[in-house]
Amino acid sequence: MRAGFIAGEVWSGLRRNLSMALSVILVTMVSMFLLGLGLLAQRQADTMKGYWYDRIQVSIYLCTDNSLQPNCQGQAATDAQQQSIESQLESMPEVKEVFHESEEEAFDRFKEQFRNSPITGNVQLGDIPQSFRVQLSDPTKYAVVTSQFERAPGVASVQDQEKVLKRFFQIINWITGFSVFLAGLMVICAALLMATTIRQAAFIRRREIGIMRLVGASNWTIRMPFIIEMLVVAAMGVALAVGMLWVGLRLIFNAGFNQVVLNKALIGANDVWALTPWLFGGVILIAVLTSVVTLRRYLRV
């Protein structure tokens, strides 16, 4: 009988405050969607770090007749200098593999990578110098190779991909932090809206609450319908947010992005399901705490 009574009160409360309930659902949905986006972005960054850091290369560009670097002195690297650099690289324990890339190979790779860019027509054969592309055994040891060859004879410049990737991951971290910050603001708005909804529902049902007190209803019997109402609307908001995250990740991100970067390390729908319990748990905790604090303060029960 008590369960049936509480269910009836919950349904009645939701029906009477339908507009406020929809507002809580929408605000909860937006806040959890933003939070989920931030967490998924961070998970994508972590996934890509593990994928790309194993593929970090150090490129050692050799001098040409047109090199302007002081170390080159306007002279191309000699065969002896090239052999010395290659032998030194192969003897280093930090180096896993060494690839020599000629000017023709560098030019062909550039045309393939930037085939849709207008800058391709401005680059001619010989503009990109030959280089040694070094695969590291430990990606964190790039500084050892870089420092050793920066001023070596015949070397124009040394570039490592870690610097580029580091900036890229910093941007992702900034986006993640901003998304989480916005989500935090929306969570505060959702909690305040829940409190307002509870106060409005309590005001509408003040006569019923008075009668329940007169017949000796316990405090938890009076509180429970309000708490369950908030749990229902909050859970609906989280469910909609999870659905949006799944659709966005599965149909837009994976289906579209995978066509551009095939066989790369990307997150998937399983990552959304991994976040779902935490999203539901956090929102349920907020809904319960908000309901209990509001009822205790405004209903004195």
Side-chain angles (χ1 to χ4, degrees):
M1 175 62 97
R2 179 175 296 179
F5 168 77
I6 292 177
E9 287 293 306
V10 170
W11 170 250
S12 177
L14 292 175
R15 183 170 50 84
R16 291 178 183 179
N17 298 281
L18 183 59
S19 60
M20 294 294 291
L22 290 176
S23 299
V24 174
I25 291 173
L26 293 177
V27 172
T28 304
M29 177 190 71
V30 173
S31 61
M32 291 300 102
F33 180 71
L34 289 174
L35 180 60
L37 280 181
L39 296 176
L40 288 175
Q42 187 60 49
R43 182 171 290 223
Q44 178 63 66
D46 293 338
T47 301
M48 292 182 69
K49 282 180 183 178
Y51 179 85
W52 286 110
Y53 275 13
D54 290 338
R55 292 160 175 78
I56 287 179
Q57 290 183 345
V58 175
S59 297
I60 302 176
Y61 293 98
L62 303 181
C63 294
T64 64
D65 294 332
N66 300 322
S67 298
L68 301 178
Q69 288 82 355
N71 191 52
C72 295
Q73 298 179 352
Q75 297 180 354
T78 64
D79 292 340
Q81 289 174 338
Q82 294 182 32
Q83 293 176 1
S84 174
I85 293 172
E86 185 172 8
S87 300
Q88 190 174 354
L89 285 171
E90 291 177 348
S91 64
M92 296 180 65
E94 294 84 5
V95 175
K96 180 179 181 181
E97 197 168 359
V98 180
F99 308 90
H100 178 263
E101 186 176 66
S102 65
E103 293 181 350
E104 293 80 6
E105 292 172 337
F107 180 67
D108 292 339
R109 181 173 58 85
F110 177 85
K111 289 195 301 182
E112 175 63 24
Q113 289 181 343
F114 298 94
R115 58 185 179 276
N116 296 321
S117 174
I119 66 174
T120 305
N122 300 327
V123 178
Q124 304 297 325
L125 179 62
D127 291 343
I128 305 176
Q130 59 179 320
S131 63
F132 288 104
R133 305 175 68 84
V134 183
Q135 184 76 40
L136 304 178
S137 301
D138 184 357
T140 62
K141 302 295 184 181
Y142 66 92
V144 177
V145 179
T146 302
S147 61
Q148 191 161 345
F149 289 94
E150 277 181 333
R151 301 184 183 277
V155 175
S157 63
V158 181
Q159 295 181 359
D160 62 273
Q161 298 174 348
E162 194 273 343
K163 294 180 180 178
V164 178
L165 294 176
K166 187 176 181 180
R167 296 191 192 100
F168 174 72
F169 292 129
Q170 283 178 344
I171 293 174
I172 292 182
N173 290 334
W174 292 338
I175 295 174
T176 300
F178 185 67
S179 299
V180 173
F181 173 74
L182 288 181
L185 293 180
M186 294 300 296
V187 168
I188 294 174
C189 292
L192 294 175
L193 189 57
M194 289 178 187
T196 303
T197 303
I198 291 173
R199 291 198 299 268
Q200 180 175 340
F203 178 79
I204 294 174
R205 286 184 276 179
R206 61 189 183 280
R207 184 175 179 181
E208 300 172 13
I209 293 174
I211 295 174
M212 293 173 67
R213 284 174 172 168
L214 290 175
V215 298
S218 65
N219 289 340
W220 278 108
T221 301
I222 298 175
R223 293 176 183 174
M224 196 55 64
F226 297 98
I227 296 175
I228 294 178
E229 286 177 30
M230 287 301 101
L231 291 177
V232 170
V233 297
M236 292 176 65
V238 178
L240 290 175
V242 170
M244 292 174 60
L245 289 171
W246 184 88
V247 171
L249 193 66
R250 185 69 180 272
L251 301 184
I252 299 176
F253 185 79
N254 288 152
F257 199 57
N258 269 335
Q259 301 301 319
V260 180
V261 284
L262 192 63
N263 297 326
K264 296 297 185 293
L266 300 175
I267 57 175
N270 290 335
D271 295 282
V272 175
W273 305 134
L275 291 178
T276 299
W278 297 98
L279 296 179
F280 270 101
V283 169
I284 288 175
L285 180 61
I286 293 173
V288 171
L289 292 177
T290 302
S291 301
V292 171
V293 171
T294 303
L295 291 170
R296 181 173 296 176
R297 180 177 179 182
Y298 291 94
L299 297 183
R300 306 299 180 186
V301 296

